Amino acid sequence: MKLSYRFAAALLALAPLAAPRVASAVNLVPNPSFETISTCPLGFGWLYVATPWDAPTAGTSDALHACAVSGPFAPGVPYNAMGNQVANTGIAYAGIIPYSSAPDYREYLQAPLNSPLVANATYAFSFRVSLADTCGLAVDRLGAYFSVGPIGPLVQNTTLLVTPQVESPAGGFLTNKTGWTPISGTFVAAGGETHVIIGSFRDDANTNTTAVTGTWPGGTYYYVDDVSVEVVPPAVDQACCLPDATCTLLTPAECQLLGGTPMGVGTSCDPNPCDPTPAKKSSWGGLKAIYR
């Protein structure tokens, strides 16, 4: 029987509603690309206008925005005193000095999370950095520390000697001046962490640097964009179709290790969702001919 055109179109329209929906991850970082500002920054050191971001120490961290277009030292996007870089997202980003010619001087970015982290839950953290054009040095280890309550504001502007939960690898110098380098990792929360702090958590004696083409004598300066903290859903058993068409309950990773196909969250093996290869049928006449 053929379906009418209108009836078929109605079925197609309803299909997305009937399909199972996969929940999208939620970013726990407010104002993750520093787009929202309370007022246009008039100079460097105005991170606080990108609410709720602020500096946990006396270091003068920066908010850079396309609205800042006047003056040679305006913190503009893409043009500013440190170089020329378009935002990875939108028309804004932040800027920090993670290594300086001044002894142990450091700048950081801090923001409250939209909700505290849950104990023993796994979270994925990421952000992007770009080395400013004028810099003659690059560093290798930038990361994030998650604290219970905010750090500071402190009167010091030196290194925060805490252990970051996520950090880019040693020896992986962040030298890209033309694009945005992703830094990411996962960690298990202790529980109750409310703030994220981004920067370098190593003092001068433990900081690795490498020379790049640039003339700025102040150390090294990075633009920062697209900060994200998302919970990683726990791996749960689901139907797995093995190569022999049998079904078993495994996590997706376990299923793929055995060469199987995960069938999706919430699926089971009753009824069997796998597609067995149909057995070849033989006629009675054919069977009789074999045994003659």
Side-chain angles (χ1 to χ4, degrees):
M1 181 179 69
K2 294 183 178 178
L3 294 174
S4 71
Y5 173 79
R6 288 185 179 179
F7 185 55
L11 286 179
L12 288 173
L14 289 172
L17 300 177
R21 295 174 181 263
V22 178
S24 59
V26 176
N27 187 0
L28 298 180
V29 178
N31 200 9
S33 57
F34 309 94
E35 304 296 311
T36 303
I37 54 175
S38 57
T39 187
C40 189
L42 299 180
F44 287 84
W46 285 49
L47 175 64
Y48 60 89
V49 303
T51 53
W53 290 94
D54 208 342
T57 71
T60 55
S61 307
D62 308 314
L64 299 96
H65 199 282
C67 66
V69 294
S70 61
F73 298 105
V77 174
Y79 301 103
N80 53 74
M82 300 305 298
N84 172 14
Q85 181 59 275
V86 296
N88 192 63
T89 295
I91 56 172
Y93 42 73
I96 56 172
I97 298 174
Y99 177 76
S100 175
S101 57
D104 273 329
Y105 176 83
R106 299 289 185 274
E107 293 178 357
Y108 297 92
L109 310 171
Q110 177 174 252
L113 302 173
N114 289 327
S115 61
L117 303 187
V118 177
N120 300 317
T122 300
Y123 291 86
F125 171 75
S126 65
F127 67 110
R128 290 180 178 267
V129 298
S130 183
L131 181 62
D133 293 333
T134 57
C135 291
L137 290 174
V139 296
D140 60 350
R141 289 174 292 187
L142 297 180
Y145 175 69
F146 293 85
S147 65
V148 177
I151 291 180
L154 304 175
V155 295
Q156 71 187 59
N157 58 16
T158 51
T159 311
L160 292 176
L161 295 176
V162 296
T163 302
Q165 286 89 340
V166 176
E167 187 178 55
S168 61
F173 290 102
L174 302 163
T175 59
N176 191 346
K177 293 184 176 184
T178 59
W180 291 89
T181 302
I183 296 173
S184 63
T186 60
F187 67 98
V188 177
E193 296 92 337
T194 59
H195 286 69
V196 58
I197 300 97
I198 295 171
S200 170
F201 301 93
R202 299 184 179 268
D203 59 17
D204 286 355
N206 293 287
T207 295
N208 301 323
T209 64
T210 189
V212 295
T213 302
T215 59
W216 186 58
T220 188
Y221 187 88
Y222 285 89
Y223 306 122
V224 178
D225 206 353
D226 291 334
V227 185
S228 175
V229 178
E230 297 178 350
V231 66
V232 177
V236 296
D237 286 349
Q238 57 186 255
C240 170
C241 288
L242 297 174
D244 63 357
T246 60
C247 180
T248 186
L249 294 178
L250 296 171
T251 66
E254 292 169 338
C255 180
Q256 290 167 350
L257 280 175
L258 296 176
T261 302
M263 301 307 291
V265 176
T267 55
S268 70
C269 289
D270 186 18
N272 186 351
C274 307
D275 219 358
T277 303
K280 186 177 180 181
K281 295 182 179 179
S282 299
S283 67
W284 174 241
L287 290 174
K288 286 195 296 182
I290 293 173
Y291 293 102
R292 276 189 176 175

